[in-house]
Amino acid sequence: MNSEQQYIQLFKECRGMIDAHAAPVLNEARTEAFDHFRQNGFPTRKVERYKYTDMGALFAKEDYGLNLNRLDIPVNPYDAFRCDVPNLSTSLYFVVNDSFYDKLLPKSTLPEGVVVGSLRKEALQRPELIGKYYARLARTADDGITALNTMLAQDGLLVYVPAGVKVERTIQVINILRSDVDLMANRRVLIVVEDRAEVSLLFCDHTADDRQFLTTQVVEAYVGKGASLNLYQLEETHARNNLVSNSYIAQEADSHVNHFTVTLHNGVTRTRTDLLLQGEGASCEVCGCVVADKQQRADHNTLIDHQAAHCTSKELYKYVLDEQAVGAFAGKVLVRPGAQQTSSEETNQNLCVAPSAHMYTQPMLEIYADDVKCSHGSTVGQMNDAALFYMRQRGISLEEARLLLEVAFVNEVIERMHLSQLRDRLHYLIDKRFRGELSKCEGCQLCR
């Protein structure tokens, strides 16, 4: 049985169960998603945006469990999660596998009208709101992973911020993978930030068990006129965890988005990030940082689509790869006709610590307007021998000198984050990561 056929057969046999434990608004998108998946299957390496990771091989395993009947999985997230950010006051929520955890909610109250909760339950209570946004940006015809997720997703997270509301406290969401068997989870995230609203979100991915996990995640974010969204995503899982995540973000006029992705521990991580600058004066900053060794793989693919005039984008991704780690970055900035006065910077810098590490990089510009200021660049290099020699001459050991250079290399990404407490925490975690201390324990107890 090929990779696609097992999921086609599963959907046909379990459609009734999937629908029964979801909501009508979510179910309405399934048939079309199934048709697209059946027609197109998983994207192959011949598809430009998937040339560096074999999706068919990633999904070929046939004995993943799926919790389609929504059985209660025993877990106390507060016992599993010990990686808090000191001095950062957050409203803390949990998603266990692909279901919102509502048994123990934070005591802190959100501003009036703000909703953070189960996508399934909110779709039952607010079908008009969810129906207006769900599966609109994430087009199943264009991406086989998005189609598969839309076929199977039954729950996830909704973050809704009404017009004019500023959420002062950061909303922190802990995604915990928990299972007694190898598990596939299909998580959905819907973020709606209406006109002139502001919110900061911190997503942290952790594993609570030494099992093989495969997660598909689709994030849809709508950022209204003059609105602001800060989205931070931190992955600290283990070598048996595979994550395929697609994020689609649409921006209206004068909106601003900061999107940061940090991968410190993983197995295979493949992300797609699309930002659509649809209104004049919109701006975004997209940054990523990857630290990988052993057999780990991290593949980031981005598209920044300038559809309107006077928009600004800045993009910076940095990788540090050791041993047999593999990294890939493909970033495209598209400036459409009429998107005059566009300003765009795209940079990818990579450090291969060992000669056996591999990095693939492909920054791209596609411009159809004549009054723009755009630049892009990429570098792949090894340790600076002159800098190492300089530090060793001053009594610093070779190991410590290498560590200092690695930390300094990724600091540029961390320093761009707006949350000072998160910056401090990441400096601490990255230092421990390069020293090898984070690999001594698994999943969420990394920093215990």
Side-chain angles (χ1 to χ4, degrees), residues 43-155:
T44 68
R45 290 195 175 196
K46 294 181 180 179
V47 177
E48 180 67 24
R49 300 196 69 174
Y50 284 89
K51 64 189 297 183
Y52 300 117
T53 303
D54 188 345
M55 289 290 105
L58 198 62
F59 285 83
K61 178 179 167 68
E62 296 186 6
D63 56 352
Y64 282 115
L66 286 94
N67 189 13
L68 301 180
N69 208 26
R70 316 317 291 173
L71 300 177
D72 188 37
I73 296 179
V75 60
N76 184 338
Y78 287 95
D79 286 343
F81 173 68
R82 302 178 187 277
C83 300
D84 61 333
V85 180
N87 304 317
L88 178 62
S89 179
T90 66
S91 298
L92 186 60
Y93 297 87
F94 296 92
V95 174
V96 178
N97 297 331
D98 49 20
S99 296
F100 183 79
Y101 186 84
D102 59 3
K103 294 182 176 62
L104 195 59
L105 296 176
K107 297 178 181 179
S108 58
T109 58
L110 296 169
E112 185 176 357
V114 176
V115 177
V116 179
S118 163
L119 180 60
R120 181 186 68 84
K121 290 185 177 179
E122 295 299 331
L124 291 171
Q125 298 172 6
R126 308 166 184 243
E128 297 83 7
L129 173 65
I130 305 303
K132 181 179 178 181
Y133 296 104
Y134 183 77
R136 305 295 181 182
L137 275 178
R139 292 169 48 85
T140 57
D142 299 337
D143 188 279
I145 304 301
T146 297
L148 178 68
N149 179 277
T150 306
M151 281 166 49
L152 299 177
Q154 296 168 288
D155 194 13

Side-chain angles (χ1 to χ4, degrees), residues 80 92 94-95 98 103 110 119 136 144 146 178-179 196 206 211 225 227 250 271 276 285 293 316 321 371 379:
L92 186 60
F94 296 92
V95 174
D98 49 20
K103 294 182 176 62
L110 296 169
L119 180 60
R136 305 295 181 182
T146 297
R178 163 76 179 92
S179 178
R196 306 178 311 284
H206 301 284
R211 294 289 181 179
K225 295 178 181 178
T271 70
L276 311 179
E285 185 167 21
D293 55 17
L316 174 64
L321 307 175
D371 186 9
T379 60

Side-chain angles (χ1 to χ4, degrees), residues 254-267:
D254 300 316
S255 63
H256 184 72
V257 168
N258 291 311
H259 184 279
F260 287 82
T261 304
V262 178
T263 299
L264 295 183
H265 260 298
N266 70 316

Side-chain angles (χ1 to χ4, degrees), residues 315-318 329 345-349 375-378:
E315 184 172 15
L316 174 64
Y317 276 78
K318 288 197 169 190
F329 170 81
E345 300 175 9
E346 180 186 30
T347 305
N348 173 226
Q349 297 175 336
S375 64
H376 72 305
S378 165

Side-chain angles (χ1 to χ4, degrees), residues 224-238:
K225 295 178 181 178
S228 176
L229 170 64
N230 297 314
L231 179 57
Y232 305 95
Q233 295 177 285
L234 171 63
E235 183 180 7
E236 294 176 284
T237 55
H238 59 51

Side-chain angles (χ1 to χ4, degrees), residues 207-414:
T207 47
D209 295 290
D210 186 20
R211 294 289 181 179
Q212 186 164 348
F213 292 99
L214 173 60
T215 303
T216 72
Q217 175 177 268
V218 172
V219 180
E220 295 179 283
Y222 298 82
V223 186
K225 295 178 181 178
S228 176
L229 170 64
N230 297 314
L231 179 57
Y232 305 95
Q233 295 177 285
L234 171 63
E235 183 180 7
E236 294 176 284
T237 55
H238 59 51
R240 301 182 68 191
N241 182 69
N242 298 326
L243 170 66
V244 184
S245 178
N246 292 348
S247 298
Y248 304 89
I249 304 173
Q251 297 184 235
E252 298 299 329
D254 300 316
S255 63
H256 184 72
V257 168
N258 291 311
H259 184 279
F260 287 82
T261 304
V262 178
T263 299
L264 295 183
H265 260 298
N266 70 316
V268 176
T269 299
R270 201 280 172 183
T271 70
R272 165 179 173 165
T273 305
D274 290 9
L275 289 103
L276 311 179
L277 282 66
Q278 299 176 331
E280 288 196 13
S283 61
C284 67
E285 185 167 21
V286 186
C287 297
C289 170
V290 173
V291 180
D293 55 17
K294 300 181 177 66
Q295 306 293 329
Q296 296 166 0
R297 174 183 287 265
D299 178 355
H300 288 282
N301 189 290
T302 68
L303 168 66
I304 301 179
D305 188 350
H306 286 261
Q307 300 180 358
H310 305 285
C311 293
T312 303
S313 65
K314 296 181 179 180
E315 184 172 15
L316 174 64
Y317 276 78
K318 288 197 169 190
Y319 292 62
V320 178
L321 307 175
D322 202 351
E323 298 178 287
Q324 287 78 44
V326 177
F329 170 81
K332 180 178 180 178
V333 175
L334 172 61
V335 182
R336 295 186 182 271
Q340 304 293 355
Q341 294 292 306
T342 289
S343 176
S344 177
E345 300 175 9
E346 180 186 30
T347 305
N348 173 226
Q349 297 175 336
N350 311 285
L351 183 62
C352 290
V353 179
S356 53
H358 292 274
M359 182 68 202
Y360 303 92
T361 178
Q362 187 181 19
M364 295 171 280
L365 290 176
E366 190 171 334
I367 302 172
Y368 299 97
D370 55 10
D371 186 9
V372 301
K373 183 179 180 180
C374 300
S375 64
H376 72 305
S378 165
T379 60
V380 180
Q382 295 179 324
M383 284 288 184
N384 188 315
D385 291 337
L388 287 173
F389 178 79
Y390 178 85
M391 287 188 284
R392 294 199 68 189
Q393 289 293 97
R394 280 147 184 80
I396 301 174
S397 69
L398 177 61
E399 182 179 353
E400 190 68 17
R402 288 163 58 98
L403 170 71
L404 291 173
L405 288 178
E406 291 170 337
V407 170
F409 182 77
V410 300
N411 270 352
E412 184 181 359
V413 174
I414 306 305

